[in-house]
Amino acid sequence: MTLFNAIYHLLWGDLITIPLPGGSSLGLSLLVLILIPSGIYFTIRTRCLPFRLFPEMLKIAVEKKNLSQKDSISGVQALIISTATRVGMGNLVGVVAAISAGGAGAVFWMWVTALLGSSTAFAEATLAQLHKEKDPLYGGFRGGPAYYIHHLFIKKDSKRRHSIIAVLFAISGLICWCGISQVIGNSVSSAFENAFQIPPLYTTAVLVLVAAIIVLRKNATVKVLDVVVPIMAGLYFLITLFIIFKNAGQLPSVFRQIFEEAFGIRQVVAGGFGAVLMNGAKRGLFSNEAGSGSAPCAAAAADISHPAKEGLLQAFGVFIDTIVICSCSAMIMLLTPADLTSGLVGMDLLQEAMRYHMGNFGVIFIAAILWLFSFSTFIGILFYARPNVAYIFGDNWLSQTLYKILALVMLFIGGLAAYTFVWDLGDIGIGLMTIFNMIALIPLSRQAMDSLKEYEKTLKR
């Protein structure tokens, strides 16, 4: 436990503390120190890609799929898988927690980190495409950070089958996704107990059964996510638009509050600017996962005409996750009178905000949408696990099936009880993934930039 706590504190604790006016301080964790500068670096290298090529992202997103391999998936389907895992608890309770701790200004810094993260997401997804290989088990293609890390450290003619850093990345990912499975189970069972008074055992049993039917079949995951993800994201967006139009008169004051608190005019004096900035930045980083190496596991599977196209689609995925979905949660909360939600935290706070806007239907809607968000995240992370299990254990169905069963067991256990140790283990897993991914991402980034230049030349022609 001492070692475990030391690693957790190293990754997520305040590695550097910068004093600010008014008695405040700005604590910077190791991951923030890695991801924010990396986002700035890739934004400069891609010449502000999120702004400059946004119309191209939209154009690629509506292209007809043209698959070259049997059982392969299109670039948009890979985007849907990565969106399924990005859009989860962080977009609901996580955003609420960030605003509760850091105020409305946290929303602005969440947007900033998303724009920076888009360029990082482009780089890692393009690299995943450049280093992908055929998948002998599921058909189509596979890859991700474990594979491009391997190619960085192991020469083509070498007899070595594994790179230590690549294996460590894959293990970190498998640990992280087991931890997330338990968080998903607990979050869903708690929300349904609050909304419908359904005992956690029943909710969890149904969730595990439906998930097992999908993930234990060979290629059912993509077909299910193709339907579920657009529906759940679309419904949440439409409900939020309804709430925004209903409270349109409050919008100017809400946006004024966001920008005033973002730059800490009041918070610097009160000594809380550090909380505003860091809660927004951390929530943006955690939610969009740019740099962690998760989404490239889906990006590598895309059967697409140019690697940079998938990079642009994954950059667009960060926009969908943080600028659209996270902002929806922020607006629901900021348009609710503060006295109604004082003393509440997490899902209770969000459900009370929805009760204010839409009555009991709002509470039921949030419970249902959380079920969809969490369910799609679970089957999405098991898609991510495929290439990493294969990298460590080789191409066999036994290892693939055993990991899926382990994740289903963790999902069931999480639905019945919350074990904070396992939750923290998930946080350690994603933190280590980020470090191992960035070790390769910076040295190999030139390949992604060259791919972008080549694609832009094609566009000009």
Short mmCIF file of all heavy atoms in Angstrom, two decimals, residues 81 83-85 87-88 184 225 228-229 232 371-381:
data_model
loop_
_atom_site.label_atom_id
_atom_site.label_comp_id
_atom_site.label_asym_id
_atom_site.label_seq_id
_atom_site.Cartn_x
_atom_site.Cartn_y
_atom_site.Cartn_z
N ILE A 81 -16.40 4.37 -31.55
CA ILE A 81 -15.88 3.55 -30.44
C ILE A 81 -15.14 4.43 -29.44
O ILE A 81 -15.34 4.33 -28.22
CB ILE A 81 -14.95 2.44 -30.97
CG1 ILE A 81 -15.74 1.43 -31.80
CG2 ILE A 81 -14.25 1.72 -29.81
CD1 ILE A 81 -14.89 0.49 -32.61
N THR A 83 -15.47 7.64 -29.02
CA THR A 83 -16.44 8.55 -28.39
C THR A 83 -17.21 7.82 -27.29
O THR A 83 -17.50 8.40 -26.23
CB THR A 83 -17.43 9.10 -29.43
OG1 THR A 83 -16.70 9.79 -30.45
CG2 THR A 83 -18.43 10.06 -28.81
N ALA A 84 -17.51 6.54 -27.52
CA ALA A 84 -18.22 5.74 -26.51
C ALA A 84 -17.44 5.68 -25.20
O ALA A 84 -18.03 5.73 -24.11
CB ALA A 84 -18.45 4.32 -27.02
N THR A 85 -16.12 5.60 -25.28
CA THR A 85 -15.31 5.50 -24.06
C THR A 85 -15.00 6.88 -23.47
O THR A 85 -14.87 7.02 -22.26
CB THR A 85 -13.99 4.75 -24.33
OG1 THR A 85 -13.27 5.42 -25.36
CG2 THR A 85 -14.26 3.33 -24.77
N VAL A 87 -17.04 9.54 -23.71
CA VAL A 87 -18.29 10.06 -23.16
C VAL A 87 -18.78 9.09 -22.08
O VAL A 87 -19.34 8.05 -22.38
CB VAL A 87 -19.37 10.21 -24.25
CG1 VAL A 87 -20.68 10.66 -23.64
CG2 VAL A 87 -18.91 11.21 -25.30
N GLY A 88 -18.54 9.41 -20.84
CA GLY A 88 -18.92 8.54 -19.73
C GLY A 88 -19.20 9.33 -18.48
O GLY A 88 -19.70 10.45 -18.53
N ILE A 184 -17.90 1.86 -13.34
CA ILE A 184 -19.12 1.86 -14.15
C ILE A 184 -20.24 1.12 -13.42
O ILE A 184 -21.37 1.62 -13.30
CB ILE A 184 -18.85 1.21 -15.53
CG1 ILE A 184 -17.98 2.14 -16.39
CG2 ILE A 184 -20.16 0.89 -16.25
CD1 ILE A 184 -17.44 1.48 -17.63
N LEU A 225 -22.45 -0.26 -30.78
CA LEU A 225 -22.03 1.13 -30.55
C LEU A 225 -22.47 2.05 -31.69
O LEU A 225 -22.76 3.23 -31.47
CB LEU A 225 -20.52 1.21 -30.35
CG LEU A 225 -19.97 0.60 -29.06
CD1 LEU A 225 -18.45 0.73 -29.00
CD2 LEU A 225 -20.60 1.24 -27.84
N VAL A 228 -26.02 2.80 -30.44
CA VAL A 228 -26.19 3.39 -29.10
C VAL A 228 -25.57 4.78 -28.99
O VAL A 228 -26.20 5.71 -28.46
CB VAL A 228 -25.58 2.45 -28.03
CG1 VAL A 228 -25.56 3.14 -26.66
CG2 VAL A 228 -26.38 1.16 -27.95
N VAL A 229 -24.33 4.96 -29.47
CA VAL A 229 -23.61 6.21 -29.24
C VAL A 229 -24.30 7.42 -29.88
O VAL A 229 -24.51 8.44 -29.22
CB VAL A 229 -22.14 6.09 -29.71
CG1 VAL A 229 -21.43 7.44 -29.64
CG2 VAL A 229 -21.41 5.07 -28.85
N MET A 232 -27.54 8.16 -27.75
CA MET A 232 -27.35 8.70 -26.40
C MET A 232 -26.78 10.12 -26.44
O MET A 232 -27.24 11.01 -25.70
CB MET A 232 -26.45 7.79 -25.56
CG MET A 232 -24.98 7.79 -25.94
SD MET A 232 -23.97 6.74 -24.88
CE MET A 232 -22.32 7.23 -25.41
N TRP A 371 -26.87 5.16 -17.73
CA TRP A 371 -26.79 3.72 -18.06
C TRP A 371 -26.20 3.56 -19.46
O TRP A 371 -25.31 2.74 -19.67
CB TRP A 371 -28.19 3.10 -18.00
CG TRP A 371 -28.19 1.60 -17.94
CD1 TRP A 371 -28.26 0.82 -16.84
CD2 TRP A 371 -28.10 0.70 -19.07
NE1 TRP A 371 -28.21 -0.52 -17.20
CE2 TRP A 371 -28.13 -0.61 -18.55
CE3 TRP A 371 -28.00 0.88 -20.45
CZ2 TRP A 371 -28.06 -1.74 -19.37
CZ3 TRP A 371 -27.94 -0.25 -21.27
CH2 TRP A 371 -27.96 -1.54 -20.74
N LEU A 372 -26.69 4.35 -20.41
CA LEU A 372 -26.20 4.26 -21.78
C LEU A 372 -24.73 4.69 -21.88
O LEU A 372 -23.92 4.03 -22.55
CB LEU A 372 -27.06 5.12 -22.72
CG LEU A 372 -28.47 4.61 -23.02
CD1 LEU A 372 -29.25 5.65 -23.80
CD2 LEU A 372 -28.42 3.29 -23.78
N PHE A 373 -24.38 5.81 -21.23
CA PHE A 373 -23.00 6.30 -21.25
C PHE A 373 -22.07 5.23 -20.69
O PHE A 373 -21.01 4.93 -21.26
CB PHE A 373 -22.88 7.57 -20.39
CG PHE A 373 -23.26 8.85 -21.11
CD1 PHE A 373 -24.13 8.83 -22.18
CD2 PHE A 373 -22.77 10.07 -20.68
CE1 PHE A 373 -24.50 10.01 -22.84
CE2 PHE A 373 -23.13 11.26 -21.33
CZ PHE A 373 -23.99 11.22 -22.40
N SER A 374 -22.44 4.67 -19.53
CA SER A 374 -21.58 3.71 -18.84
C SER A 374 -21.49 2.39 -19.60
O SER A 374 -20.41 1.80 -19.72
CB SER A 374 -22.10 3.46 -17.43
OG SER A 374 -22.13 4.67 -16.69
N PHE A 375 -22.63 1.93 -20.12
CA PHE A 375 -22.67 0.68 -20.86
C PHE A 375 -21.79 0.77 -22.11
O PHE A 375 -21.00 -0.13 -22.41
CB PHE A 375 -24.11 0.35 -21.24
CG PHE A 375 -24.24 -0.87 -22.10
CD1 PHE A 375 -24.07 -2.13 -21.56
CD2 PHE A 375 -24.56 -0.77 -23.44
CE1 PHE A 375 -24.18 -3.27 -22.35
CE2 PHE A 375 -24.68 -1.88 -24.24
CZ PHE A 375 -24.50 -3.14 -23.68
N SER A 376 -21.91 1.88 -22.85
CA SER A 376 -21.11 2.04 -24.07
C SER A 376 -19.62 2.16 -23.73
O SER A 376 -18.77 1.67 -24.47
CB SER A 376 -21.58 3.25 -24.87
OG SER A 376 -21.41 4.45 -24.14
N THR A 377 -19.31 2.81 -22.60
CA THR A 377 -17.91 2.90 -22.18
C THR A 377 -17.35 1.51 -21.91
O THR A 377 -16.22 1.19 -22.31
CB THR A 377 -17.79 3.76 -20.90
OG1 THR A 377 -18.20 5.09 -21.20
CG2 THR A 377 -16.35 3.80 -20.40
N PHE A 378 -18.13 0.67 -21.23
CA PHE A 378 -17.64 -0.68 -20.89
C PHE A 378 -17.33 -1.50 -22.13
O PHE A 378 -16.25 -2.09 -22.24
CB PHE A 378 -18.67 -1.41 -20.01
CG PHE A 378 -18.24 -2.80 -19.64
CD1 PHE A 378 -17.27 -3.00 -18.67
CD2 PHE A 378 -18.78 -3.91 -20.28
CE1 PHE A 378 -16.85 -4.28 -18.33
CE2 PHE A 378 -18.37 -5.19 -19.95
CZ PHE A 378 -17.40 -5.39 -18.97
N ILE A 379 -18.27 -1.56 -23.07
CA ILE A 379 -17.98 -2.39 -24.25
C ILE A 379 -16.91 -1.75 -25.13
O ILE A 379 -16.19 -2.44 -25.84
CB ILE A 379 -19.26 -2.75 -25.04
CG1 ILE A 379 -19.99 -1.52 -25.55
CG2 ILE A 379 -20.20 -3.58 -24.19
CD1 ILE A 379 -21.21 -1.87 -26.41
N GLY A 380 -16.78 -0.41 -25.06
CA GLY A 380 -15.73 0.27 -25.80
C GLY A 380 -14.34 -0.05 -25.27
O GLY A 380 -13.41 -0.29 -26.04
N ILE A 381 -14.18 -0.08 -23.93
CA ILE A 381 -12.85 -0.35 -23.37
C ILE A 381 -12.43 -1.80 -23.62
O ILE A 381 -11.22 -2.09 -23.71
CB ILE A 381 -12.76 -0.01 -21.87
CG1 ILE A 381 -13.76 -0.80 -21.05
CG2 ILE A 381 -12.89 1.48 -21.63
CD1 ILE A 381 -13.69 -0.54 -19.55
#
